Amino acid sequence: MKKSLVRALEKETFDVTAPGEGPALGGDHPLTRFRNRVREIFRPLGFEEVSAPHLETDDYNFSLLNMPPEHPARDLQDTLYLEDGRLLRTHTSNLQVREMRKRKPPIRVVSFDRCFRYENLDPHHSHTFTQFDLLYVDRDVSMAHLRFLSDYFIKRVFGERTETRFRPKYYPFVEPGVGIDALGPNGWFEIAGAGLVHPQVLRNGGIDPTKYSGLAWGFGPDRMLMAE
């Protein structure tokens, strides 16, 4: 051993009683942090977080949401089927009729979970993605409530000065339907589909549409995180 190395080792001090260094720990996934933010944003308004099955029946995923067999909207939500007839749900909106059949109005629920579609991977599509769904049913629920809730949410994510807009859009389970856009650094981008719950969907959930109305939306957390 070189004399210089021996002298360096002789000068080295090492306390064998000192605590060791633990392994580095990772942090929460961005979607997990965002989910926690969503909970904190809507909890003061009385919204409860719920879940619905990933493996779903055709009825709850399609037919009870105004998409019977051969409806053209199904082409936009092609999915994967099991031999027993169940399918991988294409949206978190499968919670809507389930929750309406469980509860009596007022109903305030949100869900933040995974969805699945038979999609080719590209910068805008994936076979597995996250969706944030909200359902509010009560007497006299209107588009004004939808506007307030969407702005309330978007401004707490992107900042109070964020500009938003509604554009008319068709979804089978709402009437009227809108696309909700926010203005970002690269222009307007759509982050949600929403509208007033279709009267037939309310009936399918056991709720009288002559007495109650509701609103629903599906936000794309992945898209919002990329734009944030």
Side-chain angles (χ1 to χ4, degrees):
M1 185 179 294
K2 293 183 179 180
K3 292 183 178 179
S4 59
L5 181 57
V6 172
R7 288 195 295 270
L9 290 173
E10 288 175 345
K11 295 179 180 178
E12 190 80 22
T13 58
F14 180 73
D15 185 357
V16 295
T17 65
E21 295 183 2
L25 299 177
D28 290 335
H29 190 280
L31 279 171
T32 301
R33 294 198 298 268
F34 191 64
R35 181 176 186 167
N36 292 335
R37 288 176 66 187
V38 169
R39 288 170 174 160
E40 295 305 314
I41 288 171
F42 284 99
R43 185 179 292 119
L45 299 183
F47 283 86
E48 176 187 349
E49 185 175 10
V50 298
S51 61
H54 289 183
L55 287 174
E56 187 54 283
T57 65
D58 184 280
D59 280 346
Y60 283 113
N61 195 82
F62 288 126
S63 297
L64 294 173
L65 295 176
N66 266 359
M67 287 182 280
E70 309 305 326
H71 193 288
R74 291 195 180 208
D75 293 341
L76 302 176
Q77 298 191 23
D78 196 10
T79 187
L80 304 173
Y81 290 82
L82 279 69
E83 292 183 356
D84 63 6
R86 290 181 300 164
L87 52 89
L88 288 175
R89 67 175 182 182
T90 60
H91 47 193
T92 48
S93 299
N94 66 322
L95 71 86
Q96 292 185 19
V97 174
R98 284 182 174 276
E99 291 301 321
M100 285 189 277
R101 289 180 172 181
K102 289 179 185 177
R103 305 164 183 261
K104 294 180 179 180
I107 300 171
R108 298 186 185 92
V109 293
V110 296
S111 181
F112 193 112
D113 209 342
R114 285 178 294 170
C115 309
F116 313 89
R117 294 186 188 177
Y118 186 60
E119 297 270 11
N120 288 322
L121 290 174
D122 64 34
H124 301 283
H125 300 89
S126 175
H127 52 71
T128 304
F129 60 98
T130 307
Q131 196 172 64
F132 165 56
D133 213 279
L134 177 145
L135 175 68
Y136 174 36
V137 179
D138 204 348
R139 294 185 184 272
D140 301 318
V141 174
S142 69
M143 291 295 284
H145 293 92
L146 178 58
R147 182 75 197 198
F148 167 79
L149 285 171
S150 63
D151 277 3
Y152 170 81
F153 177 50
I154 292 171
K155 291 179 184 294
R156 276 156 183 76
V157 174
F158 296 120
E160 289 296 327
R161 294 188 177 184
T162 304
E163 295 183 48
T164 64
R165 70 180 182 186
F166 280 5
R167 290 178 298 106
K169 199 160 186 182
Y170 171 72
Y171 299 99
F173 40 90
V174 294
E175 179 60 40
V178 294
I180 302 176
D181 299 345
L183 182 60
N186 299 316
W188 291 99
F189 64 100
E190 183 178 9
I191 57 175
L196 298 185
V197 179
H198 195 288
Q200 185 57 48
V201 176
L202 290 173
R203 292 188 192 97
N204 293 341
I207 293 175
D208 186 349
T210 66
K211 296 180 180 179
Y212 296 98
S213 54
L215 62 85
W217 76 40
F219 273 89
D222 310 82
R223 189 176 300 179
M224 293 184 74
L225 283 172
M226 288 188 286
E228 190 178 7

